Amino acid sequence: MAFSADELRVLRRALAIALQPKPLPDEDVQDCLRLAGAVDEAVGEAGRLRTFLLADLVRYRNALPGSVSGYLELLQDALAGGYDPRPDDLAALRALRHRPVAAALLERCQMLAERSVRARLAGRATPATAPAPRSRLLALPGGRAADAEPERPKTPAAPPRRPVLPSERPAPKPSEVFPPRKPAPPRQEWAAG
């Protein structure tokens, strides 16, 4: 996550205020609320990106063995982002273990899967579980409560769109693939005369 220079300035002020609470001017409160909104938006965007990447990973896994290099690369990226390998991933890696990269990933995934199962059995959350939503910033020391914040227009959240797989697309009609030809104009014959 990257912050702009203004956002860093607001973040520094908010941290200083948290360490030494004092009454805040309304402008500082509004800056902090805007920063909190921007952070919430960035977290939501990261979640949407993660959903897209995991759907991509499933598509590549379903296209194996033709998509080996892409699948292995996506799986490495997903693991770096905290992805918990699924049984399908382990099965795919077992089938590809003759490749050195796949064999190393299989070993790593088996270790992560075992750790995940132990954590679930112990009743703890797994690392791949989505983080709990951050609570809204209700008040700052010496500031106003968030209910005094101006009303924002409510927009209904669109349901997440999943990509359409090639196997789910309808087959094109022959007229779409081979458009009809326009008839050629009739030939005119000239008489020699």
Side-chain angles (χ1 to χ4, degrees):
M1 186 181 307
F3 291 103
S4 70
D6 287 337
E7 290 171 334
L8 283 175
R9 180 182 49 78
V10 171
L11 186 59
R12 277 186 148 158
R13 274 198 338 243
L15 290 174
I17 291 166
L19 293 174
Q20 296 178 351
K22 61 181 180 180
L24 292 176
D26 286 346
E27 180 183 313
D28 288 347
V29 173
Q30 290 301 318
D31 286 346
C32 289
L33 290 173
R34 275 193 295 277
L35 179 63
V39 169
D40 286 341
E41 187 178 322
V43 168
E45 185 63 30
R48 285 190 291 278
L49 178 62
R50 178 179 168 82
T51 301
F52 173 77
L53 291 175
L54 293 180
D56 222 15
L57 180 67
V58 170
R59 261 193 12 244
Y60 272 78
R61 184 178 58 227
N62 290 340
L64 286 174
S67 62
V68 173
S69 61
Y71 171 71
L72 295 177
E73 185 178 320
L74 281 173
L75 182 59
Q76 286 175 335
D77 291 345
L79 292 174
Y83 174 69
D84 217 3
R86 307 283 187 262
D88 291 344
D89 294 312
L90 295 172
L93 289 172
R94 283 186 192 106
L96 300 170
R97 69 176 146 218
H98 62 278
R99 295 173 173 256
V101 174
L105 273 174
L106 176 60
E107 191 174 310
R108 181 176 173 197
C109 286
Q110 285 173 332
M111 182 184 63
L112 290 172
E114 184 178 324
R115 187 181 306 160
S116 173
V117 168
R118 286 185 182 170
R120 272 185 264 145
L121 290 175
R124 298 185 313 240
T126 62
T129 305
R134 189 173 63 78
S135 62
R136 294 263 317 149
L137 179 63
L138 297 178
L140 295 171
R144 300 184 312 196
D147 57 358
E149 179 182 6
E151 286 288 322
R152 294 182 186 159
K154 301 281 184 187
T155 56
R161 294 178 55 189
R162 70 173 184 82
V164 178
L165 300 174
S167 62
E168 295 174 340
R169 292 186 186 131
K173 297 176 189 171
S175 62
E176 294 171 340
V177 177
F178 304 106
R181 294 184 190 167
K182 293 183 181 178
R187 289 183 48 182
Q188 294 180 348
E189 294 189 22
W190 294 83

